[in-house]
């Protein structure tokens, strides 16, 4: 049972309610780095609106910032995990140095990898991303790979034509270097609903995914994590165009579950953008909602301890994390 009691609300004033209650849990164990917004895909549900067009230098962490973030991270004794997200993190030129440095210091590293990157050759830069599986395996990076469905129709509808075949090919290459097979090389897949509904039960869906992907392709993985689509940015605009925003918000609010509060990811992590600015999570980052009181701060001006009991910036979208079984970067919460 949650130590914080947030009553089910009637659809109004919930932002004020969250703000009054939600704080970090006392220890920051994870730094989530959004290293850049450039991506080889442009998915309908993408909350950071990543795409190949995000080429503004401000949208990608530069060398000086990467160095400052490395330096800061290695001085924070409570940090155990560095969680890279994007965009496609591998498309940042400093990704490999950061991963090698953090792993060399014994930190657990997660790469939120869109598996189509593995077969991608960037026509603008000429970069061939076939290095990704071997690099990640050599550094024993945990891979969290987005795979919104085991059916071709649903994946291509959400991510673009050809994304399913490219995703399967990328995942098989990860299997080929031991991911999902060797205990030191975990491969977890992420499901998110294609339409405006809550994810199904994570354990039931995992069984289906494992059966279907094994039978169709001989593909193996460790865990399936279900993530609720957040009603922000590209997904929110799509809901608005389809007249589905209000019903979707009602669905999230009606399914508010107070037992999710203890496990909300914002309570034990801090999130930074490509400039090193501070947020409570990647969703708040996408909305430009900085950690309260630290709107102009950079991570190297703070300490993890000083952030450990901070008030968290909240809004309507937080109901995406508290609906049903809850939703976090690690899947369902309860
Ligand atoms: S692969 Fe991920 S980061 Fe890239 S556009 Fe799709 S959802 Fe966004
Ligand atoms: S969106 Fe979720 S993770 Fe982010 S602040 Fe709200 S409850 Fe926390």
């Amino acid at each position: 049972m949650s130590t914080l009691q947030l009553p089910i609300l009637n659809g109004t004033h919930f932002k004020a309610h969250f703000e009054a209650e939600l704080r970090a849990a006392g220890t920051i164990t994870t730094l989530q780095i959004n290293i850049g917004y450039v991506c080889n895909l442009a998915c309908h549900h993408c909350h950071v609106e990543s795409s190949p067009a995000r080429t503004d230098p401000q949208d990608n962490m530069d060398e000086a910032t990467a160095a400052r973030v490395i330096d800061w991270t290695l001085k924070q004794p409570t940090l155990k995990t560095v969680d890279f997200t994007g965009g496609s993190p591998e498309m940042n030129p400093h990704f490999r140095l950061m991963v090698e440095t953090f792993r060399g210091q014994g930190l657990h590293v997660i790469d939120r990898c869109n598996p189509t990157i593995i077969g991608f050759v960037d026509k603008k830069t000429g970069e061939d991303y076939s290095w990704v599986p071997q690099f990640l395996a050599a550094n024993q990076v945990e891979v969290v790979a987005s795979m919104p469905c085991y059916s071709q129709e649903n994946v291509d509808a959400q991510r673009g034509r050809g994304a399913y075949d490219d995703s399967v090919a990328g995942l098989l290459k990860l299997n080929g270097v031991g991911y999902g097979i060797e205990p030191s090389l975990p491969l977890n897949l992420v499901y998110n609903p294609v339409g405006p509904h809550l994810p199904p039960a994570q354990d039931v869906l995992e069984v289906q995914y494992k059966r279907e992907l094994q039978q169709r392709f001989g593909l193996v993985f460790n865990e399936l994590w279900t993530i609720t689509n957040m009603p922000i940015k590209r997904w929110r605009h799509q809901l608005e165009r389809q007249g589905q925003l209000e019903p979707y918000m009602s669905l999230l609010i009606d399914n508010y579950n107070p037992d999710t509060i203890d496990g909300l990811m914002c309570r034990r992590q801090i999130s930074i953008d490509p400039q090193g600015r501070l947020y409570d999570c990647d969703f708040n980052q996408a909305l430009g909602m900085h950690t309260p009181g630290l709107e102009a701060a950079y991570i190297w001006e703070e300490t993890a301890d000083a952030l450990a009991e901070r008030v968290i910036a909240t809004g309507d979208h937080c109901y995406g994390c508290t609906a049903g079984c809850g939703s976090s970067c690690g899947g369902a919460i309860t």
Side-chain angles (χ1 to χ4, degrees):
M1 188 64 187
S2 163
T3 53
L4 294 170
Q5 299 298 311
L6 299 186
I8 295 175
L9 301 166
N10 63 7
T12 56
H13 308 308
F14 37 78
K15 184 175 187 302
H17 190 91
F18 265 116
E19 279 177 350
E21 300 277 355
L22 200 60
R23 281 184 177 267
T27 310
I28 303 301
T29 57
T30 299
L31 170 66
Q32 187 167 69
I33 302 175
N34 194 320
I35 194 169
Y37 303 128
V38 65
C39 187
N40 61 316
L41 298 182
C43 304
H44 292 314
H45 66 286
C46 185
H47 67 270
V48 287
E49 302 191 318
S50 287
S51 79
R54 298 291 299 263
T55 52
D56 187 309
Q58 292 283 311
D59 288 346
N60 224 356
M61 189 172 283
D62 64 20
E63 188 176 1
T65 305
R68 290 180 116 158
V69 172
I70 289 172
D71 185 54
W72 181 86
T73 304
L74 299 182
K75 289 179 181 153
Q76 310 306 314
T78 63
L79 282 184
K80 306 288 178 234
T81 299
V82 179
D83 183 344
F84 282 96
T85 188
S88 277
E90 307 83 2
M91 294 181 82
N92 181 289
H94 315 296
F95 171 74
R96 280 178 270 187
L97 174 68
M98 294 182 87
V99 168
E100 286 168 340
T101 308
F102 292 140
R103 288 295 298 130
Q105 295 298 315
L107 287 164
H108 181 62
V109 172
I110 296 171
D111 178 30
R112 294 189 182 268
C113 171
N114 129 44
T116 72
I117 193 71
I118 291 167
F120 179 63
V121 179
D122 191 332
K123 287 189 184 129
K124 282 187 212 147
T125 64
E127 176 141 16
D128 177 345
Y129 288 90
S130 56
W131 55 264
V132 169
Q134 288 84 358
F135 171 79
L136 296 176
N139 287 283
Q140 297 191 336
V141 173
E142 177 177 352
V143 174
V144 178
S146 46
M147 185 67 174
C149 192
Y150 51 73
S151 94
Q152 176 150 24
E153 190 186 355
N154 284 343
V155 174
D156 285 354
Q158 191 172 89
R159 321 207 99 177
R161 195 184 302 166
Y164 181 76
D165 289 342
D166 292 347
S167 297
V168 170
L171 292 171
L172 286 172
K173 285 188 177 139
L174 288 166
N175 279 172
V177 296
Y179 272 102
I181 300 161
E182 305 287 339
S184 60
L185 299 176
L187 171 61
N188 300 315
L189 302 191
V190 170
Y191 160 92
N192 58 280
V194 174
H197 48 80
L198 294 179
Q202 185 169 273
D203 52 350
V204 175
L205 192 61
E206 181 181 290
V207 172
Q208 290 173 10
Y209 257 70
K210 285 194 166 164
R211 185 184 60 231
E212 293 290 331
L213 293 176
Q214 169 74 53
Q215 282 177 359
R216 294 181 194 199
F217 309 108
L219 201 160
V220 293
F221 65 95
N222 295 95
E223 294 178 6
L224 179 76
W225 297 346
T226 57
I227 293 186
T228 303
N229 287 324
M230 296 301 277
I232 61 174
K233 294 290 184 174
R234 206 175 269 161
W235 171 244
R236 185 182 184 97
H237 301 149
Q238 185 174 324
L239 290 171
E240 276 170 344
R241 281 196 303 275
Q242 296 169 345
Q244 291 285 335
L245 180 59
E246 213 175 305
Y248 187 65
M249 285 307 302
S250 296
L251 177 75
L252 298 181
I253 293 163
D254 290 346
N255 284 280
Y256 172 73
N257 176 1
D259 288 348
T260 60
I261 298 298
D262 277 349
L264 291 174
M265 60 187 178
C266 49
R267 304 194 64 214
R268 291 169 187 83
Q269 72 165 29
I270 192 75
S271 159
I272 59 169
D273 68 11
Q275 276 80 53
R277 292 282 184 79
L278 294 154
Y279 306 84
D280 298 304
C281 70
D282 203 47
F283 304 122
N284 287 3
Q285 184 178 144
L287 291 169
M289 288 171 58
H290 290 277
T291 297
L294 297 172
E295 289 77 5
Y298 294 90
I299 190 131
W300 47 84
E301 296 168 346
E302 297 296 321
T303 65
D305 282 347
L307 297 165
E309 292 181 6
R310 71 190 189 277
V311 172
I312 291 168
T314 55
D316 303 2
H317 61 292
C318 293
Y319 280 108
C321 296
T322 59
C325 293
S327 181
S328 73
C329 283
I333 296 173
T334 61

